[in-house]
Amino acid sequence: MTYEDLLKEADSHELITKEKPLCAYDGRIKGKRIAIRKDLSESAKKCVLAEELGHYYTTAGNILDQNDDLSRKQELRARIWAYDKMIGLTGIINAYRHGCRTLYDVAEYLEVTESFLSEALGQYKRKYGTHVTLDHYVILFEPSLGVLEIKSP
């Protein structure tokens, strides 16, 4: 999914997305308006817009106070939505099948930042533990990202 695809998705929900010279945040959603910091790389804008869409779909109210437990939970829910939208277990498998073997390669293939990928992998490890099986693949999260194909006998 490209940045342009995410912009179209936002537009389909009548969200107005603008790139602006933000200082305090990389992105922000308020009502039907999304602001993205304009000096970010294309892949960073994509990650930020995915998270802001995650807020649109999953959160309610003002969650800027991250000292509040409910606000932190809503922030995490939006991030998980973005991780699943931009990466997901299937994306990790597709990157492996495409020949990606390093985090840098996987991030490049998925067109996300390495930090976004690393955060997603940390979340997947918290959710699934050290590994997860999907279709005919085992995705390892420890000691580092790895994918093993399970061959049929």
Side-chain angles (χ1 to χ4, degrees):
M1 176 160 283
T2 66
Y3 181 57
E4 195 65 35
D5 292 333
L6 289 172
L7 288 169
K8 288 176 186 173
E9 181 174 339
D11 188 56
S12 75
H13 291 281
E14 299 178 356
L15 298 170
I16 299 166
T17 306
K18 301 268 186 186
E19 294 183 17
K20 298 183 169 229
L22 301 176
C23 296
Y25 303 98
D26 287 342
R28 177 109 192 267
I29 184 168
K30 186 172 184 182
K32 292 272 199 172
R33 297 182 174 275
I34 298 174
I36 305 290
R37 197 168 93 205
K38 71 179 188 176
D39 62 346
L40 297 173
S41 69
E42 190 84 0
S43 61
K45 287 178 188 176
K46 182 176 156 181
C47 297
V48 170
L49 181 53
E51 184 178 333
E52 297 310 320
L53 285 171
H55 284 295
Y56 175 73
Y57 292 123
T58 68
T59 63
N62 181 340
I63 65 165
L64 291 175
D65 179 7
Q66 289 297 294
N67 292 318
D68 177 66
D69 286 342
L70 183 58
S71 293
R72 282 196 309 276
K73 287 178 183 177
Q74 289 193 76
E75 180 68 31
L76 180 60
R77 191 176 309 126
R79 287 185 182 184
I80 290 170
W81 187 93
Y83 299 150
D84 291 343
K85 177 87 169 171
M86 305 314 304
I87 299 168
L89 299 178
T90 303
I92 294 168
I93 291 169
N94 288 341
Y96 168 79
R97 292 175 65 198
H98 189 262
C100 300
R101 298 298 181 263
T102 66
L103 285 182
Y104 175 82
D105 291 341
V106 173
E108 284 288 308
Y109 175 77
L110 296 172
E111 298 176 344
V112 298
T113 64
E114 282 185 82
S115 62
F116 186 84
L117 175 61
S118 293
E119 291 166 9
L121 294 174
Q123 182 57 43
Y124 293 150
K125 180 180 171 186
R126 283 186 287 283
K127 180 176 182 178
Y128 298 110
T130 60
H131 66 282
V132 64
T133 302
L134 179 64
D135 298 327
H136 299 286
Y137 296 90
V138 176
I139 302 171
L140 305 169
F141 300 111
E142 272 190 7
S144 61
L145 178 63
V147 178
L148 303 171
E149 187 171 2
I150 303 169
K151 302 285 184 181
S152 300

